[in-house]
Amino acid sequence: MKHNRLQNHRLSLISTVAAFALSAIVALPALAADDQADVLTLVRQHVAAQTNFDVPALAALTADNYVEVSPMGEVDTREKMLAFYAPEKKTATPIITVEEPLVRVTGGTAVLIGKLAISVNAGGQQRQMAMRASYVAVKDGSNWKLMSAQYTGIAPKRPAQ
């Protein structure tokens, strides 16, 4: 009799642990999806802050050790990036959209690779161009912040010859 109670207790304990483990596993994809959406929102806010030369927003969205590689291949610290977007340096505002986002999250680090579609008015004509951008975000408490960005120009397609 004692053996059956012990065996039932073990089965009950194993069932409880298995149920808890299964619920934790089922919750992980939901958390990852939330993090992916949060990182995409962060990148879109960063792009909007750049477009608007919004230095306070850029400062709030980036980590203290933020660094970026410009489309020209220059490595810029956070301070240099913030100085570039000073309101008095604002020029014609392009329209920039984040397309083709691919987000990977591992723990408190995320990488987003996407295409920045840019529409700018140059000499009275709308000009379309694009860049591939890679962002690294880190979790800061319950929020995400950008730690780095790299921008690479996408050459326009050449007409068939």
Side-chain angles (χ1 to χ4, degrees), residues 43-54:
V43 167
R44 286 183 171 146
Q45 290 171 337
H46 185 258
V47 169
Q50 287 175 318
T51 301
N52 295 318
F53 283 66
D54 186 346

Side-chain angles (χ1 to χ4, degrees), residues 35-133:
D35 284 338
Q36 289 175 351
D38 290 347
V39 170
L40 178 55
T41 297
L42 171 67
V43 167
R44 286 183 171 146
Q45 290 171 337
H46 185 258
V47 169
Q50 287 175 318
T51 301
N52 295 318
F53 283 66
D54 186 346
V55 173
L58 288 168
L61 297 169
T62 55
D64 291 341
N65 62 347
Y66 175 87
V67 65
E68 71 180 31
V69 179
S70 76
M72 302 304 290
E74 297 170 357
V75 177
D76 297 332
T77 63
R78 182 175 188 251
E79 293 74 24
K80 188 173 178 182
M81 177 272 298
L82 292 173
F84 178 85
Y85 289 104
E88 64 273 6
K89 294 181 180 179
K90 186 174 182 176
T91 59
T93 305
I95 298 168
I96 304 174
T97 57
V98 179
E99 299 177 349
E100 304 171 8
L102 176 61
V103 183
R104 298 284 191 253
V105 178
T106 303
T109 305
V111 174
L112 183 147
I113 299 172
K115 177 181 175 182
L116 300 180
I118 305 163
S119 178
V120 65
N121 189 335
Q125 295 182 5
Q126 283 300 111
R127 184 169 169 218
Q128 308 299 317
M129 55 188 132
M131 284 191 283
R132 193 61 64 187

